[in-house]
Amino acid sequence: MFMTNPLVTVTIPTYNSAKGLPFCLEALNNQSYKNIEINIIDNVSKDATVEVAKKFGVKKIKILSCSLLQARYEGVKMAKGTYILILDSDQILSHDAIERAVRMTESKHLDMLALEESVYYSKTFVEKLFDMDRRLINSLNNLSPFTGVIMPRFFRRELLVKAYEHIPQEIFRNTGGPDHAIVYYEAWRMSKKIGVVTDAVKHIEPYSLQFMMRKMYRWGYTSVAAHYGSYDDLMKQKERFRTGLFTKGLMKESIASIVLLFFKGVAFKTGYYRGVIDRYFGLIHL
């Protein structure tokens, strides 16, 4: 049992998320830990995302046309919880994930927790690549904000608010893909008290190469502001191949990771350079 029963805010940015959001919200409603509030920041979805959220009982919904980084920040500003979990609409929590996160944070006096992920579906070729890549990531357990892939999602409210306050305002306007890396970097600069909740999340990954490359193109395009700002070195290190390839005897997983990252990298860099060109010609303000 808990000595205390702190409120946990779960904040979820959405955009045309009607297909995956029911899985995410159902898992939240079925959590073993019950003192939870949920808020959703919706980027003017054209599908039934908002209706789905209301159907599952979400009362705090804000519709706002903004970047992903700004949407997450809006959710944090709305949060009332002692702890804040920044979640994506395609992530499905295990039944006791929040309970274990609260217990670990309080008993070990931690400030933030990464949630270990696995793949929800592993049927198509691309999903299998993601599955093997995730196994490699979890085996390495690299928590470096520069070279690691695992990043915290569960934060003490005070730390997360301060992290966002340290991000330059000009970064907020158009930053999407690297938003999580930037937030973690700012939090890590203030605290190294981080842990990992194992077997915590099932992630619905892109099922096709086309879908995945469209997503990575968008991430690259929305990373330009960060590259031109104070996070350029962070971005350059984050965009390299996984550290620790082949060091754990996971040959298949390492090869799959390289293949996946090659395709992701091509799409990401294409989007990035398109963003650089648009920035140069003043087509977008980054």
Side-chain angles (χ1 to χ4, degrees), residues 5 12 82 91 104 123 127 142 177 179 223 252 284:
N5 189 40
I12 308 169
T82 301
Q91 293 180 316
M104 183 180 294
K123 298 178 181 178
E127 288 170 344
N142 181 1
D179 70 296
S223 74
K252 287 196 307 181
I284 54 174

Side-chain angles (χ1 to χ4, degrees), residues 140-185:
L140 295 173
N141 200 30
N142 181 1
L143 291 169
S144 166
F146 295 98
T147 60
V149 179
I150 301 175
M151 292 183 284
R153 288 186 172 274
F154 189 87
F155 293 87
R156 289 190 186 274
R157 174 188 169 83
E158 293 84 358
L159 177 67
L160 188 56
V161 169
K162 288 179 182 177
Y164 275 102
E165 289 174 349
H166 288 164
I167 298 172
Q169 283 300 308
E170 62 269 19
I171 300 293
F172 279 90
R173 182 182 298 171
N174 291 294
T175 299
D179 70 296
H180 200 169
I182 291 170
V183 172
Y184 177 27
Y185 171 71

Side-chain angles (χ1 to χ4, degrees), residues 82-96:
T82 301
Y83 299 107
I84 299 176
L85 170 57
I86 53 176
L87 200 63
D88 292 331
S89 62
D90 56 3
Q91 293 180 316
I92 303 163
L93 291 179
S94 63
H95 174 65
D96 63 346

Side-chain angles (χ1 to χ4, degrees), residues 5 17 21 30-31 34 49-50 81 85 96 98 123 130 146 169 172 175 196 200 207 223 251 277 285:
N5 189 40
S17 306
L21 188 60
N30 291 332
Q31 286 295 295
K34 298 303 181 183
T49 296
V50 172
L85 170 57
D96 63 346
I98 293 180
K123 298 178 181 178
F130 273 103
F146 295 98
Q169 283 300 308
F172 279 90
T175 299
V196 178
Y207 60 88
S223 74
M251 181 67 70
I277 292 169
H285 299 287

